[in-house]
Amino acid sequence: MISIVVAEMDEAYLRTICTLLELEEDAVVIGQADSLESAGSILEKDPPDIFIADISWLYAQDFIRDVASKGIKMIILSTFADPGNERMVMESGVHGYLIKDSTGDELIGAIRTVMTGEHVYSPKLEEPGEESIVHSLPVRKAGPIASIVNRFKSSAV
């Protein structure tokens, strides 16, 4: 069973990710956080196999290095495809970097790939004309997580 902690400031997105992950037979969400402080407390008390967090958290380099030093694999989610962040993400010890419009299948595939020790990055992050130096996810046809988040938000109104 893959234990996962998800950290996201957008409550609807956090609920969506956790709901998708709980549908998987080999994954269990053991913690949810909406701040750096609460994520740190959860990770300290019950370290997961995988920590999934929003890109804005990446700028807390000391926090990321601390997570990596504990042997916790990390996947960053970003709203925008910014190829310039790929190197910074790799240097910080992060194992995966996905765009938030990735499909649920892509997220699950990334988690399983990262668990094997590989690094996974969205193909949307590749610089034009450059070869990627990490494993890219195949494009899948399932609907994006973002569309599910929008349904959550509209039903909450």
Side-chain angles (χ1 to χ4, degrees):
M1 186 70 70
I2 303 168
S3 61
I4 302 168
V5 170
V6 181
E8 169 63 50
M9 291 179 282
D10 180 330
E11 185 180 334
Y13 198 81
L14 177 64
R15 283 194 327 241
T16 301
I17 295 289
C18 293
T19 300
L20 286 170
L21 295 175
E22 290 294 342
L23 294 173
E24 297 302 312
E25 293 180 8
D26 61 343
V28 61
V29 176
I30 61 169
Q32 300 177 32
D34 61 2
S35 71
L36 198 61
E37 293 77 23
S38 61
S41 295
I42 294 168
L43 295 172
E44 189 68 35
K45 184 173 71 174
D46 195 8
D49 297 314
I50 302 268
F51 176 51
I52 300 173
D54 185 90
I55 184 69
S56 60
W57 298 34
L58 180 61
Y59 295 100
Q61 291 292 322
D62 291 338
F63 180 81
I64 301 303
R65 284 188 194 97
D66 185 51
V67 170
S69 73
K70 293 177 177 150
I72 300 170
K73 294 172 174 56
M74 187 167 183
I75 297 174
I76 293 290
L77 299 172
S78 177
T79 304
F80 305 103
D82 183 354
N85 281 337
E86 185 175 356
R87 185 149 313 279
M88 180 178 63
V89 167
M90 290 170 52
E91 291 170 357
S92 68
V94 172
H95 292 80
Y97 184 11
L98 301 177
I99 306 306
K100 287 186 177 180
D101 72 354
S102 298
T103 66
D105 286 342
E106 288 171 334
L107 177 60
I108 297 302
I111 290 167
R112 290 182 180 132
T113 299
V114 164
M115 285 301 295
T116 69
E118 290 186 61
H119 289 75
V120 179
Y121 295 88
S122 171
K124 295 177 182 178
L125 297 168
E126 294 176 10
E127 298 273 3
E130 285 188 13
E131 282 189 45
S132 179
I133 56 176
V134 293
H135 176 74
S136 289
L137 290 170
V139 176
R140 301 183 200 264
K141 294 185 179 182
I145 296 169
S147 67
I148 300 169
V149 171
N150 290 334
R151 278 187 244 143
F152 264 131
K153 285 183 176 179
S154 63
S155 67
V157 174

